[in-house]
Amino acid sequence: MIVVFYILLLFMLIAAIIAVETKNLLSAVICVGAIGFGGSLIFLFLRAPDIAITQIVVEVLGLIILIRATIARDLTSISGDREFFGTVVSIVIIFLIFMAGFKVLDSLHDFGTPVYAKTEKAASQTYIEKGLEDTGATNIVSSIILDYRAYDTLGEATVLFTAVIGATVLLRKKSRKSPEVLE
Amino acid sequence: MPYAICFLLFMVGLYCAVVKKNMVKIVIGIMVMEYAVNLFLIMLGYRFGGVAPILSRSDVNNETGQIMQSFIDNSVDPLPQALVLTSIVISLGSLALLISICVRIYEKYGTFDITEIRRLKG
């Protein structure tokens, strides 16, 4: 079973590399879709069905948005990177970050043994034990997002609403009043 | 090892966002980073042989209403899942905002190339 997991992870990695390196924008967008759906399958494997469902919905909407941005533009692919010196400096910095992060990965607990199981009175432990009793929801995740941490969900709705307002304002063609009315 | 692959995915996204000239490519890089971070958080809560944090009828003791110890010992961590759920939805909102900025810049300057857009300064 773990082999399937690794295959999906490598699939996501390869799709990401193709999405980054391909010249055609539409192909890059489709590769992003491949990453997202691969990620959704991985979430199913990691026993997170709620995340998998949300990921599929968000992925479809995101693909529609991205294709809206790329299609019907002239698909003149922009070749070449930024100027040479800046590129080299960025790659060196990215490599340094990678090495530093790799050290940090050693300090994490092993894959497959969650840290909350070893700590007494962890929040997750309380949610699992008391979730049904406190909220009456059989799905622990929904009992967390809608009851224990409902303010998080309220904040999420606020952020989403702000983003939608921003997008609407940016995409609006002209002001609502026509110039004649103003005069 | 899975953490390392996930981190590599993040680095691919970071490389794309920093080095590429095309604005849509930069947005794609940011999206790849979001996928990697979400995946990493979910991976932190996984346990081998775990079950999804959804109770079924057999996980609850009928007489006392207590949750069975087998479920408590086997469930994956529900807290990262709840927080990542929020994060995924917010990433959709930020994607819509970024793409609308890109579309406006394209309408004004006629290109996605960020080195061509010189009139932004001043």
Side-chain angles (χ1 to χ4, degrees):
Chain A
M1 249 343 242
I2 197 78
V3 179
V4 181
F5 175 69
Y6 278 111
I7 289 172
L8 280 171
L9 260 181
L10 287 176
F11 171 75
M12 277 180 83
L13 190 61
I14 292 167
I17 291 170
I18 293 173
V20 168
E21 285 305 327
T22 185
K23 291 276 181 258
N24 191 342
L25 273 186
L26 202 56
S27 323
V29 168
I30 290 167
C31 284
V32 170
I35 306 170
F37 287 117
S40 154
L41 285 177
I42 287 189
F43 288 145
L44 271 184
F45 177 85
L46 292 175
R47 306 290 188 272
D50 309 271
I51 311 288
I53 294 166
T54 317
Q55 175 80 31
I56 286 178
V57 173
V58 164
E59 192 55 45
V60 170
L61 286 175
L63 273 186
I64 291 170
I65 293 171
L66 273 172
I67 287 176
R68 157 79 177 78
T70 52
I71 214 161
R73 308 274 182 274
D74 54 339
L75 288 172
T76 48
S77 51
I78 300 165
S79 58
D81 295 334
R82 296 187 198 179
E83 67 264 31
F84 182 71
F85 181 70
T87 308
V88 169
V89 170
S90 343
I91 288 175
V92 167
I93 289 175
I94 287 174
F95 186 72
L96 287 179
I97 294 173
F98 183 71
M99 295 315 284
F102 218 78
K103 286 278 180 205
V104 176
L105 290 183
D106 290 339
S107 69
L108 287 172
H109 57 95
D110 291 337
F111 177 67
T113 51
V115 73
Y116 86 94
K118 290 174 193 147
T119 41
E120 290 290 315
K121 299 265 180 193
S124 312
Q125 199 75 38
T126 316
Y127 294 152
I128 289 174
E129 284 171 10
K130 298 274 164 58
L132 182 63
E133 197 179 323
D134 285 352
T135 64
T138 50
N139 188 343
I140 311 284
V141 174
S142 67
S143 83
I144 293 175
I145 61 170
L146 294 178
D147 194 297
Y148 290 114
R149 288 172 187 245
Y151 283 117
D152 263 3
T153 312
L154 180 67
E156 170 201 343
T158 314
V159 171
L160 201 59
F161 190 62
T162 317
V164 168
I165 287 178
T168 320
V169 168
L170 279 171
L171 286 176
R172 197 171 56 186
K173 286 288 180 207
K174 55 189 172 188
S175 69
R176 209 166 283 146
K177 288 177 183 166
S178 58
E180 300 90 47
V181 177
L182 283 175
E183 288 166 10
Chain B
M1 180 68 180
Y3 295 142
I5 298 177
C6 197
F7 192 54
L8 208 58
L9 190 65
F10 182 86
M11 280 299 144
V12 169
L14 186 63
Y15 166 80
C16 184
V18 169
V19 172
K20 292 293 170 184
K21 282 204 301 187
N22 194 329
M23 272 190 300
V24 178
K25 277 287 179 66
I26 293 175
V27 174
I28 285 173
I30 292 171
M31 283 187 75
V32 172
M33 282 196 275
E34 278 165 359
Y35 290 139
V37 170
N38 291 340
L39 189 61
F40 177 69
L41 289 175
I42 295 290
M43 271 202 243
L44 278 179
Y46 179 68
R47 78 163 98 204
F48 287 125
V51 294
I54 298 174
L55 289 161
S56 61
R57 199 167 283 279
S58 60
D59 291 326
V60 183
N61 194 328
N62 274 328
E63 281 91 45
T64 57
Q66 290 289 311
I67 296 175
M68 290 288 189
Q69 191 64 35
S70 63
F71 179 76
I72 294 174
D73 288 340
N74 278 323
S75 167
V76 299
D77 198 348
L79 187 56
Q81 297 192 10
L83 297 183
V84 165
L85 205 63
T86 308
S87 152
I88 287 178
V89 177
I90 286 178
S91 78
L92 179 68
S94 67
L95 171 70
L97 193 59
L98 285 169
I99 286 295
S100 60
I101 291 172
C102 290
V103 167
R104 285 308 274 185
I105 290 179
Y106 187 88
E107 281 173 6
K108 192 158 170 59
Y109 297 96
T111 178
F112 275 137
D113 191 341
I114 55 167
T115 54
E116 300 276 320
I117 304 162
R118 294 292 189 195
R119 275 174 288 171
L120 276 176
K121 56 186 170 189

